[in-house]
Amino acid sequence: PSPKLKKTDLESTPKWPERLHSAPERISDVPGGNGGLFKRDNSKWKTRAKHYKKLLPAIGSDKIRNVMDMNTAYGGLAAALVDDPLWVMNVVSSYAANTLPVVFDRGLIGTYHDWCEAFSTYPRTYDLLHVDGLFTSENQRCEMKYVMLEMDRILRPNGYAIIRESSYFADTIASVARELRWSCRKEKTESESESEKLLICQKKLWYSSNATSETK
C-alpha cells in the first residue's frame, strides 16, 4: 500500500459491517473524492434503493439473487441492498475514474470492464441488471444497441433491468428493448426529475414459431 495511507492495514480497517458505510481512506485517490462526497453518495443510494423496491417489489424476494450494477462509482447500490437476500457484482467502467479500490475497501466485490466489449459471465447469468447513466457516458464510443444486446445475453429469461438514464436516451433505449422483446415501462425517479427517467424492464421467455409447432 501507499506510504501515505495509514488506515488500510487490517488492524485499522473498520470491521464488517461498519466498513460498508465508512469512507475508505483510498477515496482521496479518486479525483474529487472525499469523505463528504462518500456520505452523500451513501445516503443517495439508500433513497434510490427504497424507491426501486416500490417500483420492483421482486427486489428482496427469491426471484432476484444475482445482481449486477453495471456502472457503479462507490458500490452505493450494493451497500443499500446489503440486508436483502442477494449479492451484487459491482462493475466500474474502465473509462471512468478508478473507484474500484473504494468498492473493495467497503468489503464489496467488483471488477473493471469496458462495456463496448463482451463481459465474461461464467458461471452464471443475472436476475437483475442496474444501469446508471451508462449510455449517456459511453454513447460516443459504441452503439447503444450492442450494449443492450450484451445485456440481453447476460440477463436470464424473466430477469429484470433497471435503467436510469437521461430523458434524451430513455425513449431510444425503450425502442431497442422492444426489439429484444423486453417489456418496459417508464417511471419517474425518486426526485421526479424531468431530465432523468427510469425504465423498469423484464426480459421475456419466448420461443420461435417453428419451435412452438415442433413441440406440439
Side-chain angles (χ1 to χ4, degrees):
S2 171
K4 68 179 182 179
L5 301 177
K6 305 181 183 301
K7 299 179 181 179
T8 55
D9 59 89
L10 290 177
E11 292 183 359
S12 302
T13 300
K15 304 302 181 184
W16 181 269
E18 289 77 17
R19 65 186 296 185
L20 192 62
H21 303 293
S22 301
E25 190 177 16
R26 287 198 287 180
I27 197 171
S28 61
D29 291 336
V30 179
N34 55 64
L37 178 64
F38 177 87
K39 289 181 180 179
R40 290 192 295 274
D41 184 81
N42 198 41
S43 177
K44 175 183 72 177
W45 281 106
K46 287 180 180 179
T47 302
R48 288 183 173 185
K50 185 177 180 180
H51 185 60
Y52 289 169
K53 289 180 179 181
K54 291 179 181 178
L55 300 177
L56 186 58
I59 299 175
S61 74
D62 59 3
K63 292 182 180 180
I64 294 179
R65 294 175 294 174
N66 304 326
V67 179
M68 180 187 290
D69 192 359
M70 294 176 59
N71 195 33
T72 192
Y74 303 130
L77 178 63
L81 297 177
V82 69
D83 293 325
D84 292 292
L86 52 80
W87 71 279
V88 180
M89 169 59 79
N90 295 284
V91 182
V92 173
S93 171
S94 57
Y95 281 80
N98 178 12
T99 58
L100 198 57
V102 177
V103 173
F104 289 154
D105 288 351
R106 298 183 80 172
L108 302 171
I109 60 173
T111 187
Y112 288 117
H113 186 61
D114 176 0
W115 281 111
C116 294
E117 305 290 340
F119 186 92
S120 176
T121 53
Y122 181 81
R124 61 174 57 79
T125 53
Y126 289 82
D127 305 313
L128 172 64
L129 301 179
H130 175 259
V131 178
D132 178 21
L134 177 66
F135 297 102
T136 299
S137 61
E138 300 284 0
N139 74 90
Q140 299 297 322
R141 298 184 51 249
C142 50
E143 290 189 54
M144 154 181 340
K145 63 183 179 181
Y146 296 123
V147 179
M148 290 287 291
L149 190 62
E150 181 65 1
M151 290 172 63
D152 185 72
R153 185 187 68 80
I154 293 171
L155 195 60
R156 68 165 177 80
N158 294 323
Y160 300 92
I162 299 177
I163 302 173
R164 175 184 288 266
E165 276 294 344
S166 65
S167 299
Y168 177 82
F169 284 105
D171 289 338
T172 305
I173 294 169
S175 178
V176 176
R178 284 193 295 271
E179 296 297 321
L180 294 172
R181 301 194 182 186
W182 291 12
S183 63
C184 293
R185 70 181 196 273
K186 188 182 294 185
E187 297 283 358
K188 293 182 178 180
T189 64
E190 63 287 338
S191 63
E192 299 189 354
S193 170
E194 290 299 324
S195 62
E196 190 177 51
K197 298 297 179 185
L198 289 171
L199 290 175
I200 309 297
C201 302
Q202 184 175 26
K203 175 182 175 178
K204 296 298 185 181
L205 176 61
W206 56 276
Y207 302 92
S208 69
S209 57
N210 290 335
T212 302
S213 62
E214 290 174 0
T215 58
K216 291 182 179 179

